[in-house]
Amino acid sequence: MKPVIQIQDLHKTFGKNEVLKGINLEIGEGEVIALIGASGSGKSTLLRCVNRLETPTSGTIAYQGEPISAANINQVRREIGMVFQRFNLFPHLTAADNIALAPRKVLGTDGATARSEATELLRQVKLEQKADSFPGELSGGQQQRVAIARSLGLKPKVMLFDEPTSALDPELVGEVLEVMRELAKSGMTMIVATHEMGFAREVAHRVIFLDNGRILEEGPPDQVLGNPKEERTREFLARVLNR
């Protein structure tokens, strides 16, 4: 499997707090990675370093064989989309206009084409009937699906998801996970920080357990989630699965 992202000896420190402590990881083309671990283990920081929302303290991250740097970050961000816990939609724009904005501004797509592509992306996330609705008129799950469609508007090759269901009411989680399942089936390379263990077991090719800024365990979902080698992994899963 051709590596799309290569992370070597990645460290990230905030003041005296070392959040990432030597991460080494390769993500192959079309691979779905589930990042699991307690809050504060480094999952979000790792994702934010990949698309340079945070600058690594040391170590390298390469995309398609090229180190990510200030010189190429704008091009990289066009190809690595990110979905956050919060939806961050523009409240004064409709769902379709939220999605069409980046293609118009970044890619120079004309308005009619951008609107047509936005409508198709809304259909993909099963919200075509909400094209002219404003974020305040949508449920949390619908807003997150619009946010996913917006990230797909630049036609990325990789998608990063930072606990995309954690801000949702439980009954809305399923509709967002279904969109992510379909995206995985389409062959999208995905790195997903999540507490949804059922989703990780079903969709991920590999599960990576982060603990205190280090990769403590990684492997196929059945091994990491079903028969973990590390006692710390077992403790974490016991807590998460018994909520």
Side-chain angles (χ1 to χ4, degrees):
M1 189 181 297
K2 179 183 176 183
V4 177
I5 294 174
Q6 296 168 296
I7 302 170
Q8 293 184 317
D9 197 26
L10 178 66
H11 291 255
K12 178 60 183 177
T13 301
F14 296 96
K16 295 182 179 180
N17 183 22
E18 189 176 16
V19 177
L20 298 177
K21 304 173 181 177
I23 301 293
N24 292 287
L25 181 62
E26 286 193 354
I27 295 95
E29 187 173 351
E31 191 173 20
V32 178
I33 300 290
L35 294 178
I36 66 171
S39 297
S41 60
K43 303 187 301 297
S44 294
T45 301
L46 176 56
L47 291 178
R48 292 172 68 86
C49 283
V50 170
N51 74 347
R52 214 70 171 188
L53 289 175
E54 299 289 353
T55 303
T57 303
S58 64
T60 60
I61 302 175
Y63 171 68
Q64 304 281 32
E66 292 292 326
I68 299 173
S69 66
N72 64 4
I73 187 55
N74 288 334
Q75 178 60 39
V76 167
R77 284 181 181 152
R78 293 181 190 181
E79 300 191 15
I80 300 179
M82 187 162 183
V83 176
F84 301 89
Q85 297 177 30
R86 298 290 173 179
F87 325 123
N88 300 323
L89 299 175
F90 291 109
H92 64 290
L93 297 180
T94 65
D97 288 340
N98 262 283
I99 297 166
L101 183 62
R104 285 175 43 233
K105 298 292 187 182
V106 177
L107 302 181
T109 306
D110 68 83
T113 301
R115 172 76 187 203
S116 175
E117 291 177 350
T119 302
E120 173 57 26
L121 286 167
L122 284 169
R123 187 198 62 75
Q124 188 175 331
V125 299
K126 300 178 175 60
L127 284 176
E128 61 267 38
Q129 77 281 10
K130 298 293 187 180
D132 295 319
S133 298
F134 291 92
E137 300 171 324
L138 303 175
S139 71
Q142 289 170 336
Q143 289 185 63
Q144 190 62 295
R145 284 148 65 193
V146 173
I148 293 172
R150 180 181 58 182
S151 291
L152 294 173
L154 293 179
K155 302 177 177 63
K157 295 187 169 88
V158 178
M159 285 287 287
L160 311 176
F161 292 88
D162 186 6
E163 299 192 24
T165 60
S166 65
L168 300 178
D169 292 334
E171 65 267 24
L172 301 178
V173 168
E175 63 190 52
V176 174
L177 294 181
E178 181 56 33
V179 169
M180 293 169 65
R181 285 188 188 94
E182 292 302 315
L183 200 54
K185 287 179 186 176
S186 76
M188 177 67 74
T189 305
M190 297 165 59
I191 310 175
V192 185
T194 184
H195 288 295
E196 301 292 338
M197 296 302 135
F199 174 82
R201 184 186 293 274
E202 176 188 350
V203 177
H205 297 99
R206 267 190 297 161
V207 173
I208 291 174
F209 175 57
L210 278 180
D211 184 57
N212 195 28
R214 294 185 172 90
I215 294 177
L216 192 62
E217 188 160 357
E218 67 176 293
D222 286 348
Q223 184 260 300
V224 175
L225 301 178
N227 188 28
K229 298 174 182 176
E230 300 291 335
E231 178 60 30
R232 178 71 188 94
T233 314
R234 290 193 287 272
E235 290 173 1
F236 169 77
L237 290 171
R239 283 206 309 273
V240 171
L241 297 174
N242 291 330
R243 281 177 181 169

